[in-house]
Amino acid sequence: MAYQYPTNEPPSFGRHIDLTPIAERVLRLSHVGEGHRLVIYADNERTKAQIDAFFTAGEIVGAETLLVMTTPRNSPRDPRQIAIDAMGHAETIIDLSCASWIYTTPFSELLDRGVRILSSMTNPDTWAKLPPDARLSALSKHSAGIIEATETMRVWSASGSDFTVAKHGRMGTWQDGLVDEPGDWDNFPSHQAACAPLEDSASGTMVINPGDLLVQIKHVVSSEIRLTLAGGRIVAVDGSADAALLRNWLARWNDPNAYIMSHIGWGLEPRAEIGSMQMMEWESYGGGVMVAFGSNDGRFLGGKTHSRAHLDVVLLSASYSCDGTDILHEGRFVPAELQLPSFS
């Protein structure tokens, strides 16, 4: 089963006029210009204005622009071979599919060939709200440097979370909604940093509080969920209604790898809103601790877990340390260099 992010939008007559300057800015900051081979991959659940915006922007910057349009791929999530063949000739792919395929083998193979892929899993309003920002890009890259230099990370909270992970030898990654070099992947819009911890290292208790977020389930938690972590994986899910929801979601995959911690890090986007109900605003939420379970073997993360399942959990009031240095205290950044800018 694929993850889908359909939009329930009014007719988008002329909306691409507002979105095209944003798409053009993303392309120019990603060094897409004259003669660049640009492929837009989309399906018919995507809002037409978003497809039109990137197609028009590609023409404006002088790229050789091709649109590959399909229906959503649910099982398997891999694009059809004819689409993969077309994307294989690209220098940059704009991935506007609503059925995510970022953890599939073809996705990593395209990156290995040096193709850059910029995904977008959100609606036009979030595009307009969270355009690229140089200050947040710098914070994302700096955060990835902190994570990369770290050996052990700890997360704790007043409600009882207290767990550690090890990441020896694993890279720190960032997202800033742009693709900079061959083989790069990113998600527009997004500002966050993370890593794939060692798959057997997570240990302790993780408490998901009311108000925290189960991203792919599209659910704001209303009752406490208590996860026991051992040997890198979830070994118990305790609680009431929301715990049952999570247990059932994990069990539906019939895959023990769905319970392994996938990646961990923090969001850096002060413009993001929980009420938007948009995946990338939740994942990027400034000061949120994102902990994921399931697949992490994408080239851009460097983990070893292969699974059809992937779930991001965002803790909104947690504390976070890297090798004993506090990064977040109850959802607020501690180091002066990580203080988020304000936006009018």
Side-chain angles (χ1 to χ4, degrees):
M1 182 174 181
Y3 317 130
Q4 294 189 47
Y5 308 99
T7 55
N8 297 310
E9 300 285 338
S12 59
F13 305 118
R15 182 68 196 271
H16 72 282
I17 296 171
D18 297 326
L19 300 178
T20 296
I22 298 170
E24 180 186 351
R25 182 179 176 189
V26 169
L27 292 183
R28 292 192 185 280
L29 290 174
S30 297
H31 315 298
V32 175
E34 191 71 33
H36 194 94
R37 298 188 303 279
L38 179 70
V39 172
I40 300 166
Y41 176 64
D43 60 49
N44 58 8
E45 285 192 4
R46 174 62 60 182
T47 301
K48 181 176 181 293
Q50 294 175 284
I51 301 170
D52 289 345
F54 264 112
F55 192 93
T56 304
E59 294 295 304
I60 290 172
V61 303
E64 296 181 10
T65 307
L66 173 68
L67 172 62
V68 176
M69 191 73 179
T70 184
T71 53
R73 295 283 284 172
N74 292 312
S75 182
R77 290 180 289 138
D78 301 23
R80 293 177 174 87
Q81 188 59 49
I82 191 171
I84 294 171
D85 291 344
M87 289 189 281
H89 293 284
E91 293 175 85
T92 298
I93 297 166
I94 303 297
D95 171 28
L96 299 181
S97 60
C98 288
S100 174
W101 57 294
I102 64 174
Y103 288 102
T104 66
T105 298
F107 201 93
S108 290
E109 288 177 346
L110 286 165
L111 295 176
D112 287 338
R113 293 168 60 177
V115 180
R116 305 182 304 170
I117 304 178
L118 182 65
S119 301
S120 184
M121 300 179 182
T122 193
N123 68 3
D125 292 338
T126 296
W127 277 23
K129 188 194 306 181
L130 310 181
D133 183 88
R135 295 169 296 176
L136 296 178
S137 179
L139 284 174
S140 299
K141 294 176 182 179
H142 180 61
S143 293
I146 293 172
I147 290 173
E148 179 142 357
T150 297
E151 293 289 318
T152 303
M153 294 180 285
R154 178 186 172 216
V155 174
W156 69 99
S157 70
S159 59
S161 285
D162 196 350
F163 63 91
T164 58
V165 299
K167 61 157 292 293
H168 177 73
R170 293 289 172 83
M171 61 184 176
T173 66
W174 74 87
Q175 293 180 30
D176 64 354
L178 305 170
V179 283
D180 300 313
E181 57 188 28
D184 193 11
W185 170 79
D186 214 302
N187 210 333
F188 169 72
S190 179
H191 290 99
Q192 57 181 281
C195 72
L198 299 179
E199 282 76 13
D200 62 352
S201 68
S203 178
T205 301
M206 175 175 165
V207 179
I208 306 171
N209 292 310
D212 292 340
L213 310 168
L214 305 179
V215 177
Q216 280 76 11
I217 305 177
K218 301 181 185 178
H219 184 67
V220 180
V221 171
S222 59
S223 60
E224 181 182 281
I225 307 170
R226 187 170 292 262
L227 306 182
T228 302
L229 307 174
R233 65 175 59 240
I234 299 170
V235 296
V237 181
D238 295 308
S240 55
D242 284 334
L245 174 71
L246 180 54
R247 277 196 302 270
N248 290 337
W249 189 90
L250 291 167
R252 71 189 294 184
W253 303 95
N254 193 28
D255 180 2
N257 286 354
Y259 298 80
I260 300 174
M261 188 176 291
S262 167
H263 59 77
I264 184 170
W266 55 79
L268 291 149
E269 180 52 88
R271 300 170 292 181
E273 297 177 294
I274 302 304
S276 70
M277 300 302 289
Q278 288 295 304
M279 172 183 180
M280 294 317 300
E281 294 199 48
W282 284 9
E283 289 192 5
S284 295
Y285 191 82
V289 173
M290 185 166 63
V291 185
F293 298 91
S295 55
N296 70 357
D297 58 340
R299 179 184 182 275
F300 48 88
L301 268 176
K304 296 181 179 180
T305 302
H306 183 74
S307 177
R308 289 169 55 235
H310 186 88
L311 176 67
D312 300 305
V313 180
V314 180
L315 310 177
L316 297 178
S317 299
S319 301
Y320 195 125
S321 68
C322 291
D323 286 339
T325 299
D326 287 356
I327 302 298
L328 285 163
H329 177 70
E330 297 180 350
R332 296 184 179 276
F333 286 102
V334 176
E337 68 269 20
L338 289 181
Q339 298 304 305
L340 301 181
S342 60
F343 291 82
S344 60

